Amino acid sequence: MTGRTPRLSRLRRVVGEGRSSRSVGARGGRPRRRGTQPKVVALGGGMGLSASLAALRRITGDLTAVVTVADDGGSSGRLRDELGVLPPGDLRKALAALCGDDDWGQTWSRVIQHRFQSQGEMHGHAVGNLLIVALWEQLGDHVQALDLVGKLLGAHGRVLPMAAVPLELQALVKGHDPKRPDDVDTVCGQATVALTPGEVQSVHLVPHDPPAVPEAVEAVRDADWVVLGPGSWFSSVIPHLLVPELFDAVQETKARRVLSLNLVPQPGETEGFSPQRHLEVLGRHAPKLALDVVLADEAAVPDRDSLIDAAKRFGAAVELAPVARPDGTPRHDPELLAAAYDRIFRMHGRIGPWR
């Protein structure tokens, strides 16, 4: 990229210093000794990944989010179309979820999530999207820029894109056109797939063999635990398994792998899906996938035996725990989800010296 100034070298030094820091977050984080906590990598996108990160940051300071980059709607889609950049929205949401509960963290979380309201071109753009894209253009490096934003926010973890190029999600959908309920059409774009009134049969990425971000692959291979889900099943969870280098890392890592199921089916995308059907769909897209644990909310599983049978096909045990918010809304409670993850990490194999 052109137009760089000498100040960029100082920015890179700041990023480097942030990477070498051993403290949890910034501004008052306690020193963390290497090996005292599990190394956790969370795969996903959108609000599902945010829920998982908000829980995981409560139990480990060695946390990396690997985020899907197929979003084509809203502010992200506009920036992607106009500038040819990775869609920043899900990356921004992950960074916001990693902000601390102190005044510094919560203030920055609100700032980067803030959307402008106007009658002009700025309407709907999120501050964090603009900040991330500006640093991408300044630094010419996706990872360095996201590390620098994380340092500014005092994020309790690291955020990485899963692929180095923008991706298009395409789906085969039965009944996408209500006037032709038996026809199967190819539907293009994550935003369209997520809201389809039809039944999603399968999804794939364009390009079909996208390059994974090397740091994301390295993080998965070096992890103690890899967490997949919750989130939009076809547009945020499955896409990670369609990036060949990333899927190979998930399969070959010595880490344990936990799949976190959604609390309820998603209107349009997984309407009417049972918990076990979520697993069946996952298996169709990644038949060689092996898992160690499937985590589900105990109140969201009407047929435990069927879920246990479905999980066995992946080599996984089922853990049921109350992880939904007590107010009845279909959202994960960060404290309850953190307790469930912590119990799983303690009970299902102690990978390193962190316990």
Side-chain angles (χ1 to χ4, degrees):
M1 296 183 181
T2 59
R4 298 180 185 174
T5 70
R7 284 178 292 180
L8 293 185
S9 61
R10 292 197 293 274
L11 282 175
R12 291 194 179 93
R13 284 198 299 272
V14 169
V15 173
E17 290 167 0
R19 285 179 174 176
S20 63
S21 172
R22 296 173 63 187
S23 63
V24 178
R27 297 186 178 269
R30 292 183 298 173
R32 175 178 57 80
R33 292 179 297 170
R34 188 179 300 277
T36 60
Q37 299 179 84
K39 296 179 181 179
V40 181
V41 177
L43 311 179
M47 298 309 297
L49 177 62
S50 295
S52 201
L53 295 176
L56 288 167
R57 69 175 173 81
R58 287 167 161 79
I59 58 175
T60 183
D62 203 332
L63 177 58
T64 300
V66 178
V67 183
T68 184
V69 286
D71 189 8
D72 62 346
S75 172
S76 287
R78 291 159 60 193
L79 291 168
R80 172 178 175 164
D81 290 343
E82 183 173 346
L83 302 175
V85 295
L86 295 179
D90 284 349
L91 297 161
R92 180 199 80 244
K93 292 174 186 175
L95 285 163
L98 290 174
C99 287
D101 293 324
D102 58 358
D103 288 342
W104 179 269
Q106 290 305 294
T107 297
W108 275 109
S109 178
R110 290 192 299 272
V111 167
I112 66 170
Q113 295 282 55
H114 175 76
R115 290 185 184 273
F116 295 104
Q117 303 295 318
S118 74
Q119 301 299 315
E121 293 296 323
M122 289 296 293
H123 179 75
H125 274 305
V127 171
N129 288 355
L130 302 177
L131 174 62
I132 290 169
V133 172
L135 282 168
W136 282 343
E137 291 194 344
Q138 287 285 303
L139 295 175
D141 185 298
H142 294 114
V143 173
Q144 282 191 355
L146 289 167
D147 282 345
L148 186 56
V149 177
K151 185 175 177 65
L152 171 66
L153 305 181
H156 293 243
R158 193 182 193 193
V159 173
L160 299 170
M162 73 174 185
V165 297
L167 303 175
E168 179 181 69
L169 186 73
Q170 295 187 356
L172 295 178
V173 181
K174 181 179 180 180
H176 177 67
D177 183 349
K179 297 179 180 178
R180 299 182 288 110
D182 296 325
D183 288 359
V184 176
D185 297 310
T186 298
V187 176
C188 301
Q190 179 176 311
T192 305
V193 171
L195 297 176
T196 179
E199 180 182 339
V200 179
Q201 307 288 298
S202 65
V203 292
H204 62 271
L205 297 174
V206 178
H208 291 276
D209 189 12
V213 169
E215 290 87 348
V217 172
E218 180 183 0
V220 170
R221 291 187 180 277
D222 193 43
D224 295 315
W225 279 91
V226 174
V227 177
L228 184 63
S232 299
W233 216 242
F234 287 105
S235 51
S236 293
V237 176
I238 290 176
H240 288 79
L241 306 177
L242 304 180
V243 178
E245 292 173 287
L246 193 57
F247 179 70
D248 288 346
V250 170
Q251 283 295 86
E252 296 167 6
T253 181
K254 294 181 180 179
R256 298 296 181 103
R257 290 155 290 213
V258 56
L259 175 71
S260 186
L261 292 178
N262 295 334
L263 297 173
V264 295
Q266 182 174 346
E269 192 170 312
T270 55
E271 186 72 44
F273 275 31
S274 64
Q276 55 268 25
R277 189 174 178 191
H278 282 78
L279 290 180
E280 292 164 2
V281 168
L282 194 71
R284 289 206 303 267
H285 286 83
K288 297 181 180 180
L289 178 65
L291 299 169
D292 294 281
V293 181
V294 173
L295 171 63
D297 184 79
E298 57 188 5
V301 182
D303 186 347
R304 298 187 181 192
D305 290 340
S306 294
L307 180 59
I308 290 171
D309 288 342
K312 284 180 179 177
R313 298 182 191 127
F314 294 87
V318 172
E319 287 289 339
L320 301 178
V323 294
R325 292 191 175 184
D327 62 7
T329 58
R331 300 178 67 182
H332 286 85
D333 181 273
E335 296 290 347
L336 292 176
L337 187 57
Y341 282 141
D342 190 53
R343 184 170 59 256
I344 288 170
F345 293 170
R346 290 172 182 268
M347 293 176 58
H348 291 272
R350 300 178 180 181
I351 306 302
W354 45 271
R355 293 292 187 199

mmCIF file of all heavy atoms in Angstrom, residues 94-131:
data_model
loop_
_atom_site.group_PDB
_atom_site.id
_atom_site.type_symbol
_atom_site.label_atom_id
_atom_site.label_comp_id
_atom_site.label_asym_id
_atom_site.label_seq_id
_atom_site.Cartn_x
_atom_site.Cartn_y
_atom_site.Cartn_z
ATOM 1 N N ALA A 94 -15.818 -9.537 17.969
ATOM 2 C CA ALA A 94 -14.955 -10.377 18.801
ATOM 3 C C ALA A 94 -14.077 -9.518 19.707
ATOM 4 O O ALA A 94 -13.894 -9.827 20.891
ATOM 5 C CB ALA A 94 -14.096 -11.279 17.914
ATOM 6 N N LEU A 95 -13.527 -8.444 19.168
ATOM 7 C CA LEU A 95 -12.706 -7.548 19.984
ATOM 8 C C LEU A 95 -13.533 -6.924 21.106
ATOM 9 O O LEU A 95 -13.066 -6.817 22.244
ATOM 10 C CB LEU A 95 -12.102 -6.455 19.102
ATOM 11 C CG LEU A 95 -10.935 -6.885 18.217
ATOM 12 C CD1 LEU A 95 -10.705 -5.872 17.102
ATOM 13 C CD2 LEU A 95 -9.663 -7.053 19.050
ATOM 14 N N ALA A 96 -14.761 -6.536 20.804
ATOM 15 C CA ALA A 96 -15.624 -5.947 21.838
ATOM 16 C C ALA A 96 -15.907 -6.960 22.943
ATOM 17 O O ALA A 96 -15.943 -6.606 24.124
ATOM 18 C CB ALA A 96 -16.929 -5.454 21.215
ATOM 19 N N ALA A 97 -16.094 -8.220 22.562
ATOM 20 C CA ALA A 97 -16.383 -9.260 23.559
ATOM 21 C C ALA A 97 -15.189 -9.531 24.459
ATOM 22 O O ALA A 97 -15.362 -9.999 25.594
ATOM 23 C CB ALA A 97 -16.802 -10.555 22.861
ATOM 24 N N LEU A 98 -13.991 -9.237 23.984
ATOM 25 C CA LEU A 98 -12.777 -9.478 24.771
ATOM 26 C C LEU A 98 -12.420 -8.305 25.676
ATOM 27 O O LEU A 98 -11.464 -8.396 26.446
ATOM 28 C CB LEU A 98 -11.601 -9.796 23.836
ATOM 29 C CG LEU A 98 -11.678 -11.146 23.118
ATOM 30 C CD1 LEU A 98 -10.525 -11.270 22.117
ATOM 31 C CD2 LEU A 98 -11.644 -12.295 24.106
ATOM 32 N N CYS A 99 -13.173 -7.209 25.583
ATOM 33 C CA CYS A 99 -12.914 -6.074 26.459
ATOM 34 C C CYS A 99 -13.259 -6.438 27.903
ATOM 35 O O CYS A 99 -14.204 -7.193 28.160
ATOM 36 C CB CYS A 99 -13.738 -4.863 26.030
ATOM 37 S SG CYS A 99 -13.160 -4.067 24.516
ATOM 38 N N GLY A 100 -12.503 -5.863 28.833
ATOM 39 C CA GLY A 100 -12.711 -6.156 30.240
ATOM 40 C C GLY A 100 -13.971 -5.520 30.793
ATOM 41 O O GLY A 100 -14.640 -4.715 30.133
ATOM 42 N N ASP A 101 -14.291 -5.872 32.032
ATOM 43 C CA ASP A 101 -15.485 -5.346 32.688
ATOM 44 C C ASP A 101 -15.223 -4.036 33.428
ATOM 45 O O ASP A 101 -16.146 -3.472 34.027
ATOM 46 C CB ASP A 101 -16.034 -6.375 33.679
ATOM 47 C CG ASP A 101 -16.565 -7.625 32.976
ATOM 48 O OD1 ASP A 101 -17.139 -7.471 31.880
ATOM 49 O OD2 ASP A 101 -16.392 -8.731 33.519
ATOM 50 N N ASP A 102 -13.972 -3.542 33.386
ATOM 51 C CA ASP A 102 -13.667 -2.264 34.035
ATOM 52 C C ASP A 102 -14.144 -1.116 33.149
ATOM 53 O O ASP A 102 -14.630 -1.313 32.037
ATOM 54 C CB ASP A 102 -12.174 -2.158 34.329
ATOM 55 C CG ASP A 102 -11.311 -2.301 33.082
ATOM 56 O OD1 ASP A 102 -11.870 -2.515 31.980
ATOM 57 O OD2 ASP A 102 -10.082 -2.192 33.193
ATOM 58 N N ASP A 103 -14.011 0.116 33.649
ATOM 59 C CA ASP A 103 -14.489 1.284 32.905
ATOM 60 C C ASP A 103 -13.799 1.412 31.553
ATOM 61 O O ASP A 103 -14.427 1.754 30.545
ATOM 62 C CB ASP A 103 -14.272 2.569 33.720
ATOM 63 C CG ASP A 103 -15.218 2.678 34.898
ATOM 64 O OD1 ASP A 103 -16.248 1.965 34.894
ATOM 65 O OD2 ASP A 103 -14.928 3.458 35.828
ATOM 66 N N TRP A 104 -12.473 1.151 31.521
ATOM 67 C CA TRP A 104 -11.717 1.258 30.267
ATOM 68 C C TRP A 104 -12.278 0.275 29.234
ATOM 69 O O TRP A 104 -12.596 0.660 28.097
ATOM 70 C CB TRP A 104 -10.245 0.964 30.523
ATOM 71 C CG TRP A 104 -9.378 1.034 29.302
ATOM 72 C CD1 TRP A 104 -9.071 0.017 28.459
ATOM 73 C CD2 TRP A 104 -8.726 2.190 28.784
ATOM 74 N NE1 TRP A 104 -8.262 0.456 27.440
ATOM 75 C CE2 TRP A 104 -8.033 1.792 27.616
ATOM 76 C CE3 TRP A 104 -8.656 3.524 29.198
ATOM 77 C CZ2 TRP A 104 -7.274 2.683 26.858
ATOM 78 C CZ3 TRP A 104 -7.905 4.413 28.438
ATOM 79 C CH2 TRP A 104 -7.226 3.995 27.286
ATOM 80 N N GLY A 105 -12.417 -0.966 29.623
ATOM 81 C CA GLY A 105 -12.880 -1.975 28.684
ATOM 82 C C GLY A 105 -14.296 -1.725 28.212
ATOM 83 O O GLY A 105 -14.599 -1.830 27.019
ATOM 84 N N GLN A 106 -15.191 -1.393 29.116
ATOM 85 C CA GLN A 106 -16.582 -1.208 28.734
ATOM 86 C C GLN A 106 -16.778 0.056 27.903
ATOM 87 O O GLN A 106 -17.627 0.091 27.008
ATOM 88 C CB GLN A 106 -17.461 -1.180 29.979
ATOM 89 C CG GLN A 106 -17.573 -2.542 30.655
ATOM 90 C CD GLN A 106 -18.064 -3.603 29.698
ATOM 91 O OE1 GLN A 106 -19.209 -3.564 29.228
ATOM 92 N NE2 GLN A 106 -17.211 -4.586 29.391
ATOM 93 N N THR A 107 -15.989 1.107 28.189
ATOM 94 C CA THR A 107 -16.080 2.319 27.376
ATOM 95 C C THR A 107 -15.658 2.027 25.944
ATOM 96 O O THR A 107 -16.355 2.381 24.983
ATOM 97 C CB THR A 107 -15.195 3.434 27.967
ATOM 98 O OG1 THR A 107 -15.682 3.777 29.260
ATOM 99 C CG2 THR A 107 -15.226 4.667 27.072
ATOM 100 N N TRP A 108 -14.525 1.350 25.776
ATOM 101 C CA TRP A 108 -14.039 1.055 24.426
ATOM 102 C C TRP A 108 -14.949 0.055 23.716
ATOM 103 O O TRP A 108 -15.132 0.124 22.500
ATOM 104 C CB TRP A 108 -12.604 0.556 24.461
ATOM 105 C CG TRP A 108 -11.631 1.683 24.483
ATOM 106 C CD1 TRP A 108 -10.853 2.080 25.518
ATOM 107 C CD2 TRP A 108 -11.365 2.589 23.406
ATOM 108 N NE1 TRP A 108 -10.109 3.180 25.157
ATOM 109 C CE2 TRP A 108 -10.412 3.508 23.872
ATOM 110 C CE3 TRP A 108 -11.849 2.719 22.109
ATOM 111 C CZ2 TRP A 108 -9.911 4.540 23.071
ATOM 112 C CZ3 TRP A 108 -11.362 3.745 21.298
ATOM 113 C CH2 TRP A 108 -10.404 4.640 21.782
ATOM 114 N N SER A 109 -15.524 -0.870 24.456
ATOM 115 C CA SER A 109 -16.459 -1.797 23.846
ATOM 116 C C SER A 109 -17.646 -1.043 23.243
ATOM 117 O O SER A 109 -18.072 -1.314 22.114
ATOM 118 C CB SER A 109 -16.952 -2.811 24.885
ATOM 119 O OG SER A 109 -17.893 -3.700 24.323
ATOM 120 N N ARG A 110 -18.173 -0.069 23.993
ATOM 121 C CA ARG A 110 -19.293 0.724 23.471
ATOM 122 C C ARG A 110 -18.860 1.576 22.288
ATOM 123 O O ARG A 110 -19.608 1.724 21.316
ATOM 124 C CB ARG A 110 -19.870 1.610 24.573
ATOM 125 C CG ARG A 110 -20.623 0.842 25.667
ATOM 126 C CD ARG A 110 -21.409 1.793 26.549
ATOM 127 N NE ARG A 110 -20.547 2.750 27.234
ATOM 128 C CZ ARG A 110 -19.976 2.538 28.416
ATOM 129 N NH1 ARG A 110 -20.169 1.389 29.054
ATOM 130 N NH2 ARG A 110 -19.230 3.458 28.974
ATOM 131 N N VAL A 111 -17.653 2.139 22.349
ATOM 132 C CA VAL A 111 -17.189 3.029 21.278
ATOM 133 C C VAL A 111 -17.060 2.270 19.963
ATOM 134 O O VAL A 111 -17.553 2.725 18.918
ATOM 135 C CB VAL A 111 -15.845 3.682 21.662
ATOM 136 C CG1 VAL A 111 -15.209 4.349 20.441
ATOM 137 C CG2 VAL A 111 -16.050 4.711 22.768
ATOM 138 N N ILE A 112 -16.396 1.120 19.974
ATOM 139 C CA ILE A 112 -16.179 0.441 18.696
ATOM 140 C C ILE A 112 -17.476 -0.183 18.164
ATOM 141 O O ILE A 112 -17.598 -0.418 16.957
ATOM 142 C CB ILE A 112 -15.064 -0.616 18.777
ATOM 143 C CG1 ILE A 112 -15.453 -1.774 19.702
ATOM 144 C CG2 ILE A 112 -13.756 0.008 19.186
ATOM 145 C CD1 ILE A 112 -14.487 -2.938 19.615
ATOM 146 N N GLN A 113 -18.455 -0.402 19.033
ATOM 147 C CA GLN A 113 -19.738 -0.926 18.575
ATOM 148 C C GLN A 113 -20.701 0.189 18.134
ATOM 149 O O GLN A 113 -21.741 -0.096 17.530
ATOM 150 C CB GLN A 113 -20.411 -1.732 19.694
ATOM 151 C CG GLN A 113 -19.664 -2.991 20.100
ATOM 152 C CD GLN A 113 -19.876 -4.136 19.118
ATOM 153 O OE1 GLN A 113 -19.643 -3.999 17.921
ATOM 154 N NE2 GLN A 113 -20.323 -5.259 19.625
ATOM 155 N N HIS A 114 -20.350 1.431 18.432
ATOM 156 C CA HIS A 114 -21.228 2.560 18.101
ATOM 157 C C HIS A 114 -21.414 2.695 16.596
ATOM 158 O O HIS A 114 -20.463 2.638 15.825
ATOM 159 C CB HIS A 114 -20.648 3.870 18.652
ATOM 160 C CG HIS A 114 -21.429 5.080 18.256
ATOM 161 N ND1 HIS A 114 -22.631 5.418 18.838
ATOM 162 C CD2 HIS A 114 -21.187 6.037 17.304
ATOM 163 C CE1 HIS A 114 -23.085 6.529 18.291
ATOM 164 N NE2 HIS A 114 -22.232 6.915 17.352
ATOM 165 N N ARG A 115 -22.668 2.886 16.182
ATOM 166 C CA ARG A 115 -22.981 3.103 14.770
ATOM 167 C C ARG A 115 -23.487 4.527 14.558
ATOM 168 O O ARG A 115 -24.317 5.031 15.337
ATOM 169 C CB ARG A 115 -24.047 2.114 14.288
ATOM 170 C CG ARG A 115 -23.550 0.681 14.205
ATOM 171 C CD ARG A 115 -24.601 -0.240 13.610
ATOM 172 N NE ARG A 115 -24.154 -1.621 13.623
ATOM 173 C CZ ARG A 115 -23.428 -2.190 12.657
ATOM 174 N NH1 ARG A 115 -23.082 -1.476 11.598
ATOM 175 N NH2 ARG A 115 -23.057 -3.444 12.744
ATOM 176 N N PHE A 116 -22.998 5.154 13.513
ATOM 177 C CA PHE A 116 -23.424 6.505 13.188
ATOM 178 C C PHE A 116 -24.856 6.497 12.650
ATOM 179 O O PHE A 116 -25.251 5.587 11.920
ATOM 180 C CB PHE A 116 -22.491 7.119 12.146
ATOM 181 C CG PHE A 116 -21.087 7.325 12.640
ATOM 182 C CD1 PHE A 116 -20.066 6.467 12.254
ATOM 183 C CD2 PHE A 116 -20.782 8.361 13.503
ATOM 184 C CE1 PHE A 116 -18.774 6.646 12.710
ATOM 185 C CE2 PHE A 116 -19.489 8.554 13.974
ATOM 186 C CZ PHE A 116 -18.482 7.687 13.571
ATOM 187 N N GLN A 117 -25.601 7.509 13.038
ATOM 188 C CA GLN A 117 -26.962 7.691 12.554
ATOM 189 C C GLN A 117 -27.022 9.006 11.786
ATOM 190 O O GLN A 117 -26.756 10.069 12.340
ATOM 191 C CB GLN A 117 -27.959 7.715 13.720
ATOM 192 C CG GLN A 117 -27.931 6.469 14.596
ATOM 193 C CD GLN A 117 -28.377 5.231 13.847
ATOM 194 O OE1 GLN A 117 -29.346 5.268 13.080
ATOM 195 N NE2 GLN A 117 -27.679 4.111 14.070
ATOM 196 N N SER A 118 -27.331 8.923 10.512
ATOM 197 C CA SER A 118 -27.356 10.139 9.699
ATOM 198 C C SER A 118 -28.233 9.909 8.477
ATOM 199 O O SER A 118 -28.769 8.815 8.270
ATOM 200 C CB SER A 118 -25.938 10.526 9.260
ATOM 201 O OG SER A 118 -25.469 9.649 8.228
ATOM 202 N N GLN A 119 -28.333 10.921 7.664
ATOM 203 C CA GLN A 119 -29.041 10.822 6.395
ATOM 204 C C GLN A 119 -28.063 10.650 5.237
ATOM 205 O O GLN A 119 -28.481 10.648 4.078
ATOM 206 C CB GLN A 119 -29.890 12.090 6.164
ATOM 207 C CG GLN A 119 -30.924 12.353 7.250
ATOM 208 C CD GLN A 119 -31.924 11.219 7.371
ATOM 209 O OE1 GLN A 119 -32.427 10.728 6.366
ATOM 210 N NE2 GLN A 119 -32.227 10.819 8.604
ATOM 211 N N GLY A 120 -26.777 10.498 5.566
ATOM 212 C CA GLY A 120 -25.782 10.451 4.508
ATOM 213 C C GLY A 120 -25.036 9.138 4.431
ATOM 214 O O GLY A 120 -25.500 8.098 4.928
ATOM 215 N N GLU A 121 -23.842 9.198 3.829
ATOM 216 C CA GLU A 121 -23.064 7.992 3.555
ATOM 217 C C GLU A 121 -22.551 7.309 4.820
ATOM 218 O O GLU A 121 -22.238 6.121 4.798
ATOM 219 C CB GLU A 121 -21.873 8.343 2.649
ATOM 220 C CG GLU A 121 -22.265 8.767 1.250
ATOM 221 C CD GLU A 121 -22.944 7.648 0.478
ATOM 222 O OE1 GLU A 121 -22.533 6.481 0.644
ATOM 223 O OE2 GLU A 121 -23.890 7.936 -0.273
ATOM 224 N N MET A 122 -22.430 8.034 5.909
ATOM 225 C CA MET A 122 -21.910 7.453 7.145
ATOM 226 C C MET A 122 -22.943 6.637 7.904
ATOM 227 O O MET A 122 -22.592 5.915 8.839
ATOM 228 C CB MET A 122 -21.359 8.551 8.060
ATOM 229 C CG MET A 122 -20.069 9.193 7.569
ATOM 230 S SD MET A 122 -18.714 7.991 7.514
ATOM 231 C CE MET A 122 -18.505 7.667 9.256
ATOM 232 N N HIS A 123 -24.190 6.720 7.505
ATOM 233 C CA HIS A 123 -25.248 6.052 8.257
ATOM 234 C C HIS A 123 -24.989 4.550 8.346
ATOM 235 O O HIS A 123 -24.746 3.870 7.344
ATOM 236 C CB HIS A 123 -26.603 6.287 7.593
ATOM 237 C CG HIS A 123 -27.731 5.594 8.306
ATOM 238 N ND1 HIS A 123 -28.237 6.053 9.501
ATOM 239 C CD2 HIS A 123 -28.426 4.462 8.004
ATOM 240 C CE1 HIS A 123 -29.207 5.247 9.898
ATOM 241 N NE2 HIS A 123 -29.337 4.271 9.017
ATOM 242 N N GLY A 124 -25.054 4.034 9.569
ATOM 243 C CA GLY A 124 -24.923 2.606 9.784
ATOM 244 C C GLY A 124 -23.516 2.088 9.938
ATOM 245 O O GLY A 124 -23.325 0.932 10.324
ATOM 246 N N HIS A 125 -22.515 2.912 9.639
ATOM 247 C CA HIS A 125 -21.140 2.450 9.802
ATOM 248 C C HIS A 125 -20.784 2.375 11.287
ATOM 249 O O HIS A 125 -21.114 3.262 12.067
ATOM 250 C CB HIS A 125 -20.154 3.390 9.103
ATOM 251 C CG HIS A 125 -19.956 3.066 7.650
ATOM 252 N ND1 HIS A 125 -19.579 1.819 7.217
ATOM 253 C CD2 HIS A 125 -20.073 3.837 6.536
ATOM 254 C CE1 HIS A 125 -19.470 1.835 5.891
ATOM 255 N NE2 HIS A 125 -19.785 3.036 5.463
ATOM 256 N N ALA A 126 -20.102 1.295 11.672
ATOM 257 C CA ALA A 126 -19.647 1.133 13.049
ATOM 258 C C ALA A 126 -18.261 1.729 13.201
ATOM 259 O O ALA A 126 -17.394 1.565 12.329
ATOM 260 C CB ALA A 126 -19.621 -0.349 13.424
ATOM 261 N N VAL A 127 -18.032 2.416 14.318
ATOM 262 C CA VAL A 127 -16.735 3.058 14.559
ATOM 263 C C VAL A 127 -15.603 2.028 14.466
ATOM 264 O O VAL A 127 -14.567 2.270 13.853
ATOM 265 C CB VAL A 127 -16.722 3.744 15.939
ATOM 266 C CG1 VAL A 127 -15.309 4.220 16.292
ATOM 267 C CG2 VAL A 127 -17.695 4.916 15.958
ATOM 268 N N GLY A 128 -15.804 0.872 15.071
ATOM 269 C CA GLY A 128 -14.762 -0.139 15.064
ATOM 270 C C GLY A 128 -14.420 -0.632 13.673
ATOM 271 O O GLY A 128 -13.254 -0.924 13.370
ATOM 272 N N ASN A 129 -15.416 -0.734 12.797
ATOM 273 C CA ASN A 129 -15.138 -1.145 11.422
ATOM 274 C C ASN A 129 -14.204 -0.154 10.739
ATOM 275 O O ASN A 129 -13.254 -0.540 10.045
ATOM 276 C CB ASN A 129 -16.444 -1.235 10.625
ATOM 277 C CG ASN A 129 -17.292 -2.413 11.034
ATOM 278 O OD1 ASN A 129 -16.887 -3.237 11.855
ATOM 279 N ND2 ASN A 129 -18.492 -2.505 10.475
ATOM 280 N N LEU A 130 -14.484 1.129 10.916
ATOM 281 C CA LEU A 130 -13.657 2.158 10.286
ATOM 282 C C LEU A 130 -12.247 2.163 10.867
ATOM 283 O O LEU A 130 -11.262 2.324 10.135
ATOM 284 C CB LEU A 130 -14.308 3.531 10.465
ATOM 285 C CG LEU A 130 -15.721 3.679 9.897
ATOM 286 C CD1 LEU A 130 -16.274 5.063 10.197
ATOM 287 C CD2 LEU A 130 -15.754 3.406 8.405
ATOM 288 N N LEU A 131 -12.143 1.978 12.181
ATOM 289 C CA LEU A 131 -10.828 1.950 12.826
ATOM 290 C C LEU A 131 -10.004 0.772 12.311
ATOM 291 O O LEU A 131 -8.820 0.924 11.977
ATOM 292 C CB LEU A 131 -11.005 1.849 14.340
ATOM 293 C CG LEU A 131 -9.732 1.675 15.175
ATOM 294 C CD1 LEU A 131 -8.810 2.869 15.007
ATOM 295 C CD2 LEU A 131 -10.085 1.459 16.641
#
